Amino acid sequence: MKKYLLWISAAAFLAGCAGQTEKGEFKIDGHLNNLPLGPVLLEELTLDNVKVVDSTNVKDASGKFTLKGMVAEQGLYRVRFENGKFILLALDAGDMKIDGDIDKLEDVKISGSEPTAELQQFMSDISKQSIALTEEMRSLDSLHTILPDSAFQPKVAAFQKKEKEFENGFFLMADKTKNPATAVFAISQVRSGEEIVAHKQVITNLATRFPKNTLVKSMTDKILELEKNQGAGATGGDAAGGEEPSAVKVGQVAPDFTLPDPSGKMISLSSFRGKYVLVDFWASWCGPCRQENPNVVKAYQQYKGKNFTILGVSLDKTKDKWQEAIKADGLAWNHVSDLKFWDSAVVPLYGLNAIPTNFLLDPQGKVIASNLRGPALEAKLQEVLK
């Protein structure tokens, strides 16, 4: 892939921002139809935690709210609502307006913030590409038993090339954007730590272009740590720093939730107390999730008789696609979903920013490891299930 490396000075970068001011006062005026009454929170998202920076209450049916404050620099924030839905922002100083419908947040209109407009468009683009790749993967799977290898393998190679181009798109966005929040978000979506280290030049460019941004510095520090760990032969963990940012950390008791299984029966996470449980967040449309599923199946088959089970939590949108994927991938454990995509109640509860994501719980419900994939999952289970 052709790289567009932005070797530019700080002065040139500031000139290219078209007058966008990172530091100072901000105000967010929102108007969303069908907005439920209750609190509206503005939360800052870092690689380590989620922090509430302002809040208000919607007390009437107007659907209007205002959030304001001060920012020292551009960062990633989200406006989160009582029903768990949220809008992701690349926030800096200035006035921003949000207009739309709470039930159609993918169509919300945001004015007054070019960084947020870029971030929202990028999120929409990668969502469409991910869905298209998943559909193509399903179509390819259906041809496996029909076509001879001589005809099937070239199709597989073509699909793998598209997957590689899709992943490279995250690095390309990080390399070309003028906004540090968008750059960090793009890199955070890359599922492979090895790929991040392989694109170290992009990370170096970010540190050069945004030398004072706290979010960028935090990410580059974590990637340096990841590179060091890989050099020492460490395994496991696929995000910057080896672990995706989430609201749930190792050592905490995992938040309880209750969701329906495919038959409509309500299942609570707490009902699995007494066993080691892998809470596996995934979706049928998620290509990396489907690629990881064989590893999860292998681990389940090996340890299911040793006080271990899995609870699959899907961010699917349609029941039939969800059930088809469970059957096709041989996922013979309990599954739940409210079929609300990224609007699922578990997303803010666990601070999910990407899938696949998983948490391994001990019999008391405490998180003892997270984001275990491939050999790392089997190694951890072997350690705790002696």
Side-chain angles (χ1 to χ4, degrees), residues 24-166:
E25 296 182 354
F26 69 85
K27 184 173 75 168
I28 303 169
D29 287 319
H31 182 198
L32 295 174
N33 296 327
N34 301 310
L35 183 63
L37 305 184
V40 177
L41 306 178
L42 178 65
E43 299 173 325
E44 181 181 9
L45 307 178
T46 72
L47 297 187
D48 298 310
N49 55 48
V50 179
K51 176 185 176 183
V52 177
V53 297
D54 194 24
S55 63
T56 187
N57 264 292
V58 176
K59 299 179 180 180
D60 56 46
S62 68
K64 294 182 178 180
F65 61 90
T66 298
L67 298 162
K68 54 188 177 181
M70 295 280 296
V71 287
E73 60 186 355
Q74 187 183 110
L76 274 174
Y77 291 74
R78 68 183 178 194
V79 178
R80 184 162 64 86
F81 306 101
E82 175 71 3
N83 58 6
K85 296 183 179 183
F86 63 89
I87 300 172
L88 197 62
L89 310 174
L91 185 65
D92 46 23
D95 295 341
M96 181 189 308
K97 291 187 177 180
I98 300 175
D99 293 284
D101 192 307
I102 191 67
D103 296 323
K104 298 179 180 179
L105 289 183
E106 67 275 11
D107 298 326
V108 72
K109 294 182 179 179
I110 298 176
S111 57
S113 174
E114 292 183 9
T116 296
E118 178 192 56
L119 177 61
Q120 290 287 328
Q121 184 61 55
F122 180 57
M123 290 170 62
S124 176
D125 290 345
I126 62 176
S127 176
K128 291 175 182 176
Q129 292 175 49
S130 179
I131 291 171
L133 280 172
T134 301
E135 291 299 324
E136 185 172 347
M137 181 179 68
R138 287 179 182 147
S139 177
L140 194 61
D141 285 343
S142 68
L143 296 175
H144 191 198
T145 58
I146 300 174
L147 296 177
D149 269 0
S150 59
F152 182 70
Q153 290 305 321
K155 293 182 179 294
V156 171
F159 176 74
Q160 291 174 337
K161 181 180 178 181
K162 289 183 181 180
E163 281 190 312
K164 188 68 174 178
E165 291 172 349
F166 173 67

Side-chain angles (χ1 to χ4, degrees), residues 170-222:
F170 295 110
F171 295 105
L172 180 59
M173 171 55 79
D175 219 9
K176 74 177 184 179
T177 181
K178 298 176 182 179
N179 300 300
T182 302
V184 171
F185 174 81
I187 296 298
S188 74
Q189 302 307 295
V190 178
R191 310 307 299 171
S192 168
E194 291 182 358
E195 279 297 316
I196 291 175
V197 172
H199 288 80
K200 184 180 177 180
Q201 187 62 64
V202 177
I203 312 304
T204 301
N205 291 347
L206 291 181
T208 301
R209 292 159 55 209
F210 310 113
K212 296 182 179 180
N213 186 270
T214 304
L215 193 60
V216 170
K217 187 177 187 307
S218 177
M219 183 192 69
T220 53
D221 287 347
K222 286 182 178 292

